Amino acid sequence: MTAGRFVEVLRPGALSTVQDLGRPGHAHLGVPRSGALDLPAHLLANRLVGNPPDAATIETTGTGVSVRVGRAGTVAVTGAWAPVTVDGRPAGWSAPVPVPAGARVEVTAARRGLRSYLAFDGGIAAPPVLGSRSTDLLSGLGPAPLRAGDRLPLGEAAGPPAPVDVAPTGILAEELTLRVLLGPRTDWFTDDAVRLLGASRYHVSTHSNRIGVRLEGPALPRRIRRELPSEGLVLGAVQVPAAGSPVIFLADHPTMGGYPVIGVLHPDDLPQVAQAAPGGPVRFRVVRARPVRRVAGRPLAADSAPVPAT
């Protein structure tokens, strides 16, 4: 480790992990993609400090994190809105912040949203595993969740920080409305289950993590009650265990599962799920695939439309 090019963890918070763009392409080995759950927030944090998109950041959960930087540089905090301080003084959020060597950078508890992203110029230079520095809670690959006293190496700065005072960010909604495309096992559920999915308000369970978000609310009745052989799972799959309440799978999800999947979230809505705090309300907007338009025999676009009320 180059002298001074490190960050020392002083307070790890409830759960802080190293994350980058993940390790896609290994599902056949039973390894999920992993990576930053709120990808736009991760990318913005890297842009603000002059990093490439694949540089590793610290993803915090709920209660933030506190670190000491070993050398002068630039930091940025994005994602969940949380007050930021440098040596006890208020600092910018969603902005490049210069810090002196030895400074204590504190991301406090999130006041809106759940996960914040702390980027350093040069990025976290933990050893990559299968091409990624991401912590995977399910398989145990990558760095362990952060603990007090950990020292994380930093890479060399790739470019200057962004020439902005503050960067615009998306809105962190108090109630989420998530688009869900039905299938592949919708036929295992009753028509009433599909109606309930689109008409009910659910709440995020405290038993949620990077593997999946468990929801509390109306149970979705099944038409077929026999066991389903294990089959592949994808990011954003909405699986329904035996109790009937849906689970939304996130980046550390298992690659195989035996409960039926009633639908899959629109990928653009996944960052919202990353910011869904325990107790927060969630609604689903059920959509169905439109026929793919073709030009000269080739697909032009796939679209979706709301399922009409029945």
Side-chain angles (χ1 to χ4, degrees), residues 7-99:
V7 292
E8 180 183 3
V9 179
L10 303 177
R11 180 183 65 84
L15 176 65
S16 295
T17 59
V18 175
Q19 299 296 336
D20 57 17
L21 300 183
R23 47 181 69 86
H26 300 288
H28 64 294
L29 301 176
V31 177
R33 182 187 68 84
S34 195
L37 294 187
D38 187 340
L39 188 57
H42 164 84
L43 295 174
L44 176 59
N46 273 327
R47 286 200 301 272
L48 289 172
V49 299
N51 287 343
D54 59 350
T57 63
I58 293 177
E59 178 186 275
T60 75
T61 308
T63 59
V65 69
S66 178
V67 301
R68 181 174 67 86
V69 297
R71 48 85 174 168
T74 304
V75 302
V77 178
T78 60
W81 184 77
V84 181
T85 63
V86 175
D87 285 336
R89 300 182 182 90
W93 174 83
S94 191
V97 177
V99 294

Side-chain angles (χ1 to χ4, degrees), residues 56-243:
T57 63
I58 293 177
E59 178 186 275
T60 75
T61 308
T63 59
V65 69
S66 178
V67 301
R68 181 174 67 86
V69 297
R71 48 85 174 168
T74 304
V75 302
V77 178
T78 60
W81 184 77
V84 181
T85 63
V86 175
D87 285 336
R89 300 182 182 90
W93 174 83
S94 191
V97 177
V99 294
R104 175 174 180 147
V105 178
E106 177 96 17
V107 182
T108 61
R111 298 188 181 178
R112 178 66 66 86
L114 182 64
R115 293 180 172 90
S116 299
Y117 293 82
L118 173 57
F120 309 85
D121 58 322
I124 304 295
V129 179
L130 293 178
S132 171
R133 295 181 168 90
S134 289
T135 300
D136 179 352
L137 297 184
L138 185 66
S139 69
L141 296 178
L146 302 188
R147 298 172 297 181
D150 285 349
R151 279 198 172 192
L152 305 175
L154 295 178
E156 297 293 333
V164 297
D165 294 324
V166 64
T169 62
I171 296 174
L172 296 170
E174 292 185 7
E175 179 175 280
L176 302 187
T177 299
L178 308 174
R179 290 166 290 178
V180 58
L181 180 67
L182 296 178
R185 295 295 179 183
T186 312
D187 58 334
W188 279 55
F189 297 87
T190 66
D191 293 340
D192 192 50
V194 175
R195 182 192 63 79
L196 281 171
L197 184 67
S200 302
R201 174 186 283 183
Y202 289 89
H203 290 86
V204 176
S205 167
T206 55
H207 301 292
S208 300
N209 53 26
R210 284 184 44 86
I211 296 171
V213 170
R214 293 184 177 274
L215 299 177
E216 298 171 344
L220 303 179
R222 282 171 54 170
R223 174 181 288 117
I224 300 174
R225 298 187 175 277
R226 68 175 184 269
E227 295 297 321
L228 175 70
S230 291
E231 56 188 5
L233 293 171
V234 298
L235 179 64
V238 181
Q239 190 188 68
V240 183

